[in-house]
Amino acid sequence: MHYRTFNQREFEVTCHPYYIKLHNNRWFLLAWTKQYNQLGYYTLERIVTFNKEAVPYICINKEYDLGEYFDAITLLE
């Protein structure tokens, strides 16, 4: 996915999407990012382009409550 930050920095990242959530009238994608080997969240309006790639899907721990995780990180804003 090609992504543009709030500060207009652009980068490419390979991610495995898990959760989409509306927060403060903005949509966010919570995804496992291969390059950083961790969960990250991305504002949908800042995704410039994305492509489907033929790579194996990375499945994180099924015990994860992604909604709870997302709520916890958005409290840090």
Side-chain angles (χ1 to χ4, degrees), residues 30 38-41 64-74:
L30 184 62
Q38 66 183 13
L39 282 171
Y41 67 100
Y64 246 103
D65 182 339
L66 294 174
E68 191 174 295
Y69 175 85
F70 187 88
D71 290 342
I73 60 174
T74 55

Side-chain angles (χ1 to χ4, degrees), residues 26-43:
R26 297 175 81 191
W27 286 97
F28 290 86
L29 169 68
L30 184 62
W32 183 263
T33 54
K34 184 176 178 180
Q35 288 86 338
Y36 306 118
N37 200 32
Q38 66 183 13
L39 282 171
Y41 67 100
Y42 303 92
T43 308

Side-chain angles (χ1 to χ4, degrees), residues 19-30 44-45 70-71 74:
Y19 195 77
I20 295 177
K21 179 154 181 153
L22 179 64
H23 175 72
N24 289 341
N25 294 319
R26 297 175 81 191
W27 286 97
F28 290 86
L29 169 68
L30 184 62
L44 290 186
E45 65 199 38
F70 187 88
D71 290 342
T74 55

Side-chain angles (χ1 to χ4, degrees), residues 14 16 34 53-57:
T14 300
H16 302 267
K34 184 176 178 180
E53 295 186 17
V55 297
Y57 186 71

